[in-house]
Amino acid sequence: NAGVTQTPKFRVLKTGQSMTLLCAQDMNHEYMYWYRQDPGMGLRLIHYSVGEGTTAKGEVPDGYNVSRLKKQNFLLGLESAAPSQTSVYFCASSSQYQETQYFGPGTRLLVL
Amino acid sequence: AQSVTQLDSQVPVFEEAPVELRCNYSSSVSVYLFWYVQYPNQGLQLLLKYLSGSTLVKGINGFEAEFNKSQTSFHLRKPSVHISDTAEYFCAVSVAGGTSYGKLTFGQGTILTVHP
């Protein structure tokens, strides 16, 4: 039981490049979330999903897209990376009937 | 909308001393309250949560928190800290009742540094 895993762990991009971050969970959770963490700002919700095939915007969705084609996976895409997207990205999941979110180890992204 | 304020960005303390990390929230509806801990270069781990019932909540690693509705606070306490408690601590809220799909609003974080 690996919990929540994220791929890759680190990435360096140049401005304008694209990439996809993968989140996978093996707990059969309905809900999945993408957050970004910046110093002094805590974690802010980018997008979330309440089930396979559904996604919704969070607090800071601009510049990101997401997809949830399979229940266990939640992908975060950056179509044209900008230096302002330099951050640590965390994925989390939770059961429909519980309030606890389980977090992945994070992806550190640097956009030059 | 909900908001969370952690009143101290950094808290230095000596080993075996007590510590309190302060958290205040704002919401027009009932909320659930959480404390998460983040050790260096790791993800977040749940310390404790308040959903309903007793206002004093006990969590892992000897931490506890008290929900005070009148003061809209949820302060985290530990009577005697260890070096291994050095980490960043986040207070978070979600709307009670499941209508928000568990979305969390986080505070800015408090870095607890325990000195020998």
Side-chain angles (χ1 to χ4, degrees):
Chain A
N1 190 336
V4 180
T5 57
Q6 293 182 232
T7 309
K9 290 185 170 56
F10 306 94
R11 187 71 185 268
V12 179
L13 288 179
K14 294 181 179 179
T15 298
Q17 287 184 319
S18 63
M19 77 164 294
T20 300
L21 283 67
L22 171 63
C23 175
Q25 53 94 3
D26 61 3
M27 296 174 282
N28 201 35
H29 284 168
E30 289 291 334
Y31 300 164
M32 296 187 75
Y33 315 84
W34 275 108
Y35 295 90
R36 60 177 289 172
Q37 182 182 25
D38 301 291
M41 302 188 74
L43 279 77
R44 293 178 293 168
L45 183 65
I46 305 171
H47 286 280
Y48 65 101
S49 168
V50 301
E52 182 178 322
T54 71
T55 63
K57 294 180 180 180
E59 182 185 353
V60 288
D62 294 341
Y64 305 95
N65 56 75
V66 289
S67 64
R68 183 111 180 258
L69 299 179
K70 294 182 179 181
K71 185 177 182 179
Q72 63 268 32
N73 295 338
F74 195 28
L75 278 64
L76 178 71
L78 287 72
E79 288 188 349
S80 180
S84 61
Q85 294 178 304
T86 292
S87 188
V88 182
Y89 292 86
F90 287 100
C91 176
S93 71
S94 68
S95 164
Q96 184 178 4
Y97 305 104
Q98 297 178 358
E99 293 74 24
T100 301
Q101 288 189 19
Y102 296 85
F103 284 80
T107 294
R108 294 180 181 275
L109 176 65
L110 173 63
V111 182
L112 301 174
Chain B
Q2 296 70 47
S3 66
V4 178
T5 302
Q6 292 183 239
L7 298 163
D8 305 293
S9 59
Q10 297 192 50
V11 173
V13 65
F14 286 110
E15 194 173 17
E16 297 184 6
V19 70
E20 178 180 81
L21 306 183
R22 297 180 293 168
C23 172
N24 286 92
Y25 69 93
S26 172
S27 177
S28 58
V29 298
S30 295
V31 295
Y32 298 143
L33 293 153
F34 306 81
W35 275 99
Y36 281 86
V37 60
Q38 183 180 32
Y39 299 105
N41 298 314
Q42 293 187 27
L44 278 70
Q45 178 184 357
L46 181 69
L47 267 181
L48 49 80
K49 62 184 177 184
Y50 171 80
L51 305 180
S52 65
S54 173
T55 57
L56 182 62
V57 180
K58 294 189 184 298
I60 62 172
N61 300 339
F63 284 94
E64 63 180 31
E66 186 157 18
F67 170 55
N68 188 317
K69 188 174 183 179
S70 63
Q71 297 189 3
T72 61
S73 67
F74 190 55
H75 300 333
L76 181 70
R77 302 185 182 99
K78 186 171 183 178
S80 177
V81 294
H82 302 288
I83 297 288
S84 59
D85 292 323
T86 294
E88 188 162 16
Y89 293 78
F90 292 95
C91 182
V93 301
S94 68
V95 172
T99 57
S100 69
Y101 304 109
K103 290 182 292 179
L104 291 172
T105 299
F106 284 87
Q108 302 91 328
T110 298
I111 297 174
L112 173 65
T113 304
V114 182
H115 298 278

